[in-house]
Amino acid sequence: MTDETRVGVIGCGFFAQNHLHAWSSLRGEGARIVAVCDIDPTKAKAAAASFEASRWYTDPERMLGEQNLGLVDIVTRMETHRALVELAVRHRTPTIVQKPIAPTLADARAMTAAAEAAGVFLAVHENFRFQTPMRKARELIAGGAIGEPTWARISFRTGYDIYSGQPYLREEERFIIIDLGAHVLDLARVFLGDVDRIAAETQSHNPGVKGEDTATMMLRHVSGAVSVVDCTYESRRLPDPFPETLIEIEGSKGAIAIRRGLHLELTSGDRVTGIDVDPPVLEWASRPWHVVQESVQATCAHMLEALRAGRPAETTAIDNLQTFALCEAAYEAAAAHRFVAMER
Ligand code: NAD
Ligand code: 89Y
């Protein structure tokens, strides 16, 4: 690999703006956006102009064929992920794809198998575990501050108008478990490990959206730990914590709480310590999104470093299959009103 990683971005819509800023900021770490692509030429052209990409495309195949990319970052919606990942794999281009990895587990498995068979780097941009508060909690747990985690609550509850930026979410028939559950179920795996079984109840509060907008899930982990993972886009609390994930983790020697306002409270033995886990507002970021935006940059930085070092990323497609399998199992559990065992 040369000193510079030639990055191409596919999809220049709402969330891709964060990726484009992140890759630009990682120039010093060896990333250079050389080309961008969107089927909408106005968006591709605007992204190329704002982020100094020398070429813009409306055809991903043409971009991959012409640009000799060291990395392609796919930031389109999930329906397009499988075809784009398989295309990138055929071009043997290391690939990152946004969450949700795909609309179905069958697609996710096929994409992962294609990358494995070709020996191509494939990672999922699952960014919540890279948020500053989550990184701090992980560091404290790894250092033994709360002993062995035995119980957790992972909660994302908001009434923020997410549809203004992401109007397509109104049309998703399988909605919050795939859109947001993908993040919070991933955090449950990160903090408490592999899952043995899952139960779920869903609710649909907003008549203007097709799918479920609220989910309450309970997980029994292989370690014996239990977690409650809940998310809603229809909660009425002020001040609204969007887009913060609030967490409580209890262990054999203490507890961690991540509270609204990005404040972490650590109980370790008989000492309680408050830790500020509010990340800096990056120069291109803005509130209330800054904690997510900072995690996008941290995720891109991690993936770039892993790729350049010849290592897999933490959130390989194979790893993410387990998170996606939890989403699928949660839908099955909600439909049947019973626990669903996870394949192991
Ligand atoms: P969007 O609709 O605003 O943008 C998608 C863009 O992809 C559009 O501009 C569209 O024209 C383009 N596109 C579609 N098919 C294409 C193709 N074949 N080739 C090239 N371009 C194509 O959607 P969005 O809100 O930016 O969401 C994109 C992804 O980001 C989704 O998977 C979403 O779940 C994810 N997302 C992640 C987070 C997070 O925190 N990780 C937050 C928001 C959205
Ligand atoms: O779509 C969601 C996601 O992935 O993270 C936050 C979000 O944009 C809205 O809740």
Side-chain angles (χ1 to χ4, degrees):
M1 185 171 300
T2 61
D3 279 342
E4 198 171 66
T5 300
R6 293 169 59 78
V7 178
V9 176
I10 302 182
C12 301
F14 171 72
F15 204 72
Q17 302 311 309
N18 299 315
H19 290 234
L20 290 159
H21 278 291
W23 292 121
S24 284
S25 305
L26 292 169
R27 183 88 189 239
E29 277 71 53
R32 185 159 72 90
I33 304 175
V34 292
V36 295
C37 175
D38 197 295
I39 48 173
D40 178 341
T42 315
K43 289 186 190 171
K45 203 171 168 183
S50 302
F51 297 96
E52 296 173 5
S54 40
R55 286 292 306 273
W56 60 269
Y57 294 84
T58 54
D59 177 0
E61 177 137 38
R62 190 158 169 219
M63 179 175 85
L64 284 156
E66 291 180 1
Q67 285 293 331
N68 188 28
L69 298 175
L71 177 62
V72 65
D73 190 14
I74 299 171
V75 204
T76 55
R77 278 146 50 184
M78 64 178 169
E79 293 72 20
T80 60
H81 288 176
R82 178 171 174 181
L84 290 169
V85 164
E86 289 177 350
L87 175 68
V89 166
R90 283 200 295 281
H91 284 266
R92 309 197 64 77
T93 306
T95 304
I96 304 172
V97 62
Q98 248 296 344
K99 56 58 66 176
I101 180 170
T104 67
L105 194 53
D107 284 337
R109 284 189 176 132
M111 293 152 69
T112 306
E116 282 294 295
V120 171
F121 178 103
L122 177 60
V124 176
H125 184 106
E126 175 41 69
N127 52 315
F128 274 33
R129 58 163 92 182
F130 289 97
Q131 287 179 10
T132 297
M134 309 311 161
R135 294 207 303 262
K136 187 68 197 174
R138 289 171 75 182
E139 180 193 312
L140 291 167
I141 292 169
I146 66 165
E148 196 56 39
T150 53
W151 183 92
R153 178 170 180 200
I154 299 169
S155 184
F156 187 106
R157 309 192 73 78
T158 186
Y160 182 85
D161 180 14
I162 49 147
Y163 309 105
S164 60
Q166 299 168 265
Y168 56 89
L169 291 176
R170 289 182 183 281
E171 305 303 322
E172 298 295 348
E173 284 181 8
R174 301 204 303 171
F175 176 22
I176 200 168
I177 293 178
I178 284 201
D179 180 57
L180 209 275
H183 293 305
V184 284
L185 289 168
D186 191 65
L187 289 174
R189 288 184 54 229
V190 165
F191 290 124
L192 298 180
D194 287 343
V195 177
D196 188 47
R197 55 185 185 268
I198 181 168
E201 288 294 333
T202 59
Q203 294 165 290
S204 300
H205 293 302
N206 183 340
V209 307
K210 271 198 187 144
E212 85 291 350
D213 53 29
T214 301
T216 307
M217 297 165 274
M218 186 162 90
L219 286 64
R220 173 88 183 188
H221 295 258
V222 174
S223 66
V226 170
S227 61
V228 177
V229 179
D230 59 280
C231 47
T232 183
Y233 286 136
E234 291 299 327
S235 116
R236 304 280 171 258
R237 15 178 113 192
L238 294 174
D240 193 303
F242 183 85
E244 295 173 25
T245 306
L246 308 186
I247 289 188
E248 294 169 81
I249 307 170
E250 296 188 352
S252 48
K253 295 186 193 153
I256 288 171
I258 298 172
R259 303 206 189 282
R260 195 183 56 72
L262 299 160
H263 181 78
L264 187 151
E265 189 183 273
L266 168 68
T267 306
S268 189
D270 50 13
R271 279 193 57 183
V272 181
T273 315
I275 304 171
D276 178 14
V277 285
D278 191 358
V281 182
L282 297 172
E283 63 175 17
W284 54 269
S286 54
R287 290 179 188 276
W289 282 92
H290 74 293
V291 67
V292 168
Q293 290 168 314
E294 196 250 359
S295 73
V296 168
Q297 190 157 311
T299 307
C300 292
H302 165 77
M303 305 233 167
L304 181 68
E305 199 201 347
L307 175 67
R308 289 168 68 90
R311 285 193 303 267
E314 187 181 307
T315 53
T316 55
I318 290 181
D319 175 82
N320 196 260
L321 274 181
Q322 293 183 55
T323 295
F324 196 83
L326 280 174
C327 297
E328 289 274 18
Y331 282 114
E332 194 185 330
H337 303 288
R338 62 166 174 80
F339 271 94
V340 168
M342 300 307 299
E343 260 176 47
R344 280 197 279 134

